[in-house]
Amino acid sequence: MTFGAEFVALTLPPMVIAMLAAMACAAPGNFLLLRRQAMLGDAMSHVVLPGIVAAFLLTGSAAQPVMLMGALAAAALSAALIEVLRRITGAEPGAAMGATFTALFASGVLLLESSGAGGIHLDVEHALYGSLEALIWIDATGWASLTDPAALATLPPELPALALATLVILTALALVWRPLTIATFDEGFATSIGLPTRLISAALTGLAALAAVAAFSAVGSILTIAMLICPAATARLLTDRLSHQMALSLLIAAAAAGLGTLIAGYLPPALGLSFSVSAAGSVATLSGLFLGLAACFGPRRHSRAASR
Amino acid sequence: MVDPTPLAVPETALTLSGLTVAYAGMAAVEDASARFPVGTMTAIIGPNGAGKSTLLKAALGLIPAVAGEVRAFGKPVAASLGRIAYVPQRAAVDWDFPARVIDVVRMGQYRQTGLLGRLTPGLKAQAMDCLARLGMEDFAQRQIGALSGGQQQRVFLARALAQGGDLIILDEPFTGVDAATEAAIIGVLHALRAQGRTIIAVHHDLSTVPAYFDRVLLMNRRVIAEGTTATTFRRATVAQAYGDGLLSAIPA
């Protein structure tokens, strides 16, 4: 097997899937961050698990659309629970979210364990770390396969699904960019010019949930959380313009995902190490590293420090 | 079809009838009724916690009212939002937001540009002109977080100017701003009033009320008095709103 054949079959699909998942999450993550709702991203990526398990148990189907509906329903349910908890107990939003999503995630784990994980391609470990390495392209024989329709038809189904989800998320954000920006900066003013601010909030939550669902099956909930927040937080430190922040966050997300998968695949063997590391783990670690670098050496930090 | 009976031009910009707002079961504003004639400039005054900001927010539909009706220019307020410019309290937003001064002013042009509308050269020039009227044209490309409090307040007013509203509602526009900003803002507001626009502002500095405003609305959860500054801004009425003390500055 040549390097090209091995790369296209074993490394390229997980790498592209990780990059798509990272970008799908990073885009809505920018607005979650600015709305101080980073925790909501955390909540979304956790409630996906009970949603998927419940959908499987109710329908007996593990098809992508069924999983998606289950996860979206769980996201909606958790949003409602968070609101109810806030109103009844007067708890701060972060506490209400934390209580809701950890309880739902835990119930998802119990549900998964007690129902037997056999029929569904999920176990607790995959729910946390994803199964990037398993998303290989068996029929690929080399770079030529990228132009071979027969070979392309056997791509892992997660790849086209994630490509579609990423496209939907980016298009939706481009369409509502101005009202979403105005409502994020100044909700009172947005309402006063007739913008449907509640609908806009709900739509953003929906997009974050879609990103979390789409990314979850491939990369698991830990990487989903990292991807919803880290690239946007890194980009925020590098620029003071929202459009630039969005573009940078997508670039950073893709870079972390691409580099992370390559590192996980090639670095341990290159160093002569006998163990392997998880691709999702190295992508998430790299995202955190980028954020740390931006915090230490980013231009914004210095200019702000100087202006105070 | 032409309406056979021409409607009289409504002479009242904003009418509140029996407006009641409650937070967690406690009435913050109770049975407030008031009218704000076109071309006037009204100060809403009252002690802290009197429900001044709440009154304005409920009037605009930003927070729900328990009871009451609000009409703007003779129509339900929701149908007249296009003629109203609202300037929230400066502290209501996060000024660390990634935006430049000009970006904030252009938010005021949303109704002209819409969802996907592009900013025409005319609209761009208009946005710059609004900044220039507040002496802020040199700050157009500045990050909003790098501005002083007074400059931020001017940007908010420039955004309201860009909206081109007939009724401008301001929540504490002079709180925490420098004297130059206060003078710039009052100059712009008086010019707007001279053009027949209507202005309503929550105001705290009782000593400047007669110089700045031609009408006052005194409230402390309930409306205590409303009318022209000359007849209503009197020691006895103000004392009713504030209780006694700090009244030496007001004509008896």
Side-chain angles (χ1 to χ4, degrees):
Chain A
M1 210 171 182
T2 65
F3 174 77
E6 190 206 306
F7 181 81
V8 174
L10 302 181
T11 307
L12 191 62
M15 188 172 101
V16 174
I17 287 169
M19 290 169 79
L20 287 170
M23 291 195 289
C25 291
N30 281 284
F31 288 98
L32 292 181
L33 185 79
L34 292 174
R35 290 171 166 247
R36 303 187 184 277
Q37 288 182 331
M39 199 76 161
L40 189 66
D42 216 353
M44 290 303 134
S45 53
H46 275 90
V47 300
V48 166
L49 177 70
I52 287 179
V53 177
F56 174 73
L57 292 177
L58 287 174
T59 65
S61 158
Q64 280 265 350
V66 176
M67 302 283 101
L68 181 66
M69 293 314 294
L72 286 177
L77 175 72
S78 69
L81 272 178
I82 291 166
E83 195 59 33
V84 167
L85 210 57
R86 271 184 58 193
R87 297 230 171 137
I88 292 180
T89 67
E92 53 140 338
M97 282 183 205
T100 303
F101 76 70
T102 45
L104 282 175
F105 184 76
S107 64
V109 170
L110 292 183
L111 207 56
L112 187 60
E113 287 173 342
S114 58
S115 65
I120 181 170
H121 299 294
L122 252 186
D123 53 45
V124 174
E125 193 179 326
H126 281 157
L128 286 174
Y129 310 124
S131 46
L132 261 182
E133 291 86 347
L135 301 172
I136 53 172
W137 187 13
I138 299 166
D139 287 16
T141 53
W143 292 105
S145 297
L146 289 175
T147 53
D148 175 5
L152 282 175
T154 63
L155 271 173
E158 283 83 359
L159 203 156
L162 257 174
L164 182 67
T166 309
L167 189 70
V168 167
I169 289 166
L170 292 180
T171 310
L173 282 176
L175 278 173
V176 300
W177 181 265
R178 290 206 75 209
L180 181 57
T181 304
I182 295 174
T184 300
F185 172 61
D186 188 346
E187 194 164 34
F189 170 78
T191 311
S192 80
I193 61 172
L195 288 177
T197 45
R198 276 163 187 258
L199 184 66
I200 291 172
S201 286
L204 179 64
T205 307
L207 285 179
L210 176 61
V213 173
F216 178 81
S217 60
V219 299
S221 62
I222 288 185
L223 181 53
T224 304
I225 298 166
M227 278 308 166
L228 274 165
I229 299 308
C230 282
T234 309
R236 181 70 198 91
L237 294 170
L238 300 177
T239 176
D240 271 332
R241 288 188 64 181
L242 185 53
S243 52
H244 296 182
Q245 182 190 320
M246 176 62 82
L248 272 173
S249 72
L250 292 174
L251 204 68
I252 291 164
L259 278 174
T261 7
L262 288 179
I263 288 172
Y266 295 108
L267 193 61
L271 295 174
L273 299 172
S274 56
F275 58 89
S276 67
V277 296
S278 112
S282 30
V283 174
T285 307
L286 210 52
S287 306
L289 190 66
F290 284 173
L291 178 57
L293 287 176
C296 292
F297 304 109
R300 214 174 146 263
R301 189 169 175 266
H302 293 300
S303 66
R304 285 179 62 77
S307 72
R308 275 181 186 167
Chain B
M1 201 181 92
V2 179
D3 198 321
T5 48
L7 289 166
V9 178
E11 55 175 4
T12 304
L14 188 72
T15 315
L16 315 178
S17 318
L19 194 63
T20 300
V21 189
Y23 287 126
M26 295 275 287
V29 172
E30 219 175 321
D31 193 28
S33 296
R35 53 181 290 279
F36 302 86
V38 164
T40 61
M41 185 156 155
T42 307
I44 298 184
I45 51 182
N48 288 333
K52 305 180 294 290
S53 298
T54 304
L55 180 82
L56 293 184
K57 287 180 189 164
L60 288 166
L62 306 187
I63 54 174
V66 178
E69 197 200 6
V70 182
R71 295 180 80 80
F73 301 104
K75 287 191 271 185
V77 73
S80 297
L81 287 179
R83 296 180 65 181
I84 303 174
Y86 168 60
V87 181
Q89 281 182 28
R90 192 160 48 82
V93 308
D94 175 11
W95 289 91
D96 200 27
F97 193 86
R100 296 164 300 168
V101 164
I102 194 71
D103 297 327
V104 174
V105 178
R106 283 175 188 163
M107 289 179 187
Q109 300 174 318
Y110 181 76
R111 276 177 172 271
Q112 285 107 297
T113 55
L115 198 58
L116 292 173
R118 277 171 22 87
L119 285 164
T120 61
L123 283 171
K124 285 185 179 176
Q126 190 217 350
M128 279 307 288
D129 181 55
C130 293
L131 273 179
R133 283 165 71 183
L134 285 143
M136 287 290 290
E137 68 272 37
D138 293 340
F139 294 84
Q141 302 299 321
R142 193 74 69 89
Q143 156 73 14
I144 52 172
L147 301 177
S148 72
Q151 290 167 333
Q152 289 171 346
Q153 191 65 56
R154 293 194 213 191
V155 173
F156 258 13
L157 186 56
R159 180 177 69 177
L161 292 179
Q163 288 179 259
D166 295 314
L167 168 62
I168 297 102
I169 296 179
L170 307 100
D171 199 345
E172 303 197 11
F174 303 115
T175 298
V177 305
D178 52 289
T181 296
E182 184 158 333
I185 290 176
I186 208 68
V188 166
L189 293 180
H190 282 166
L192 288 169
R193 180 178 60 182
Q195 293 168 3
R197 315 288 179 90
T198 311
I199 292 140
I200 304 170
V202 171
H203 192 57
H204 273 298
D205 182 1
L206 295 181
S207 68
T208 52
V209 168
Y212 289 176
F213 297 92
D214 50 59
R215 288 179 69 86
V216 292
L217 183 135
L218 268 156
M219 69 180 290
N220 193 350
R221 287 201 302 123
R222 294 173 165 277
V223 172
I224 285 161
E226 65 152 332
T228 61
T229 307
T231 57
T232 315
F233 192 63
R234 293 286 168 194
R235 199 173 285 179
T237 12
V238 177
Q240 247 183 294
Y242 283 84
D244 296 317
L246 64 82
L247 293 173
S248 54
I250 298 141

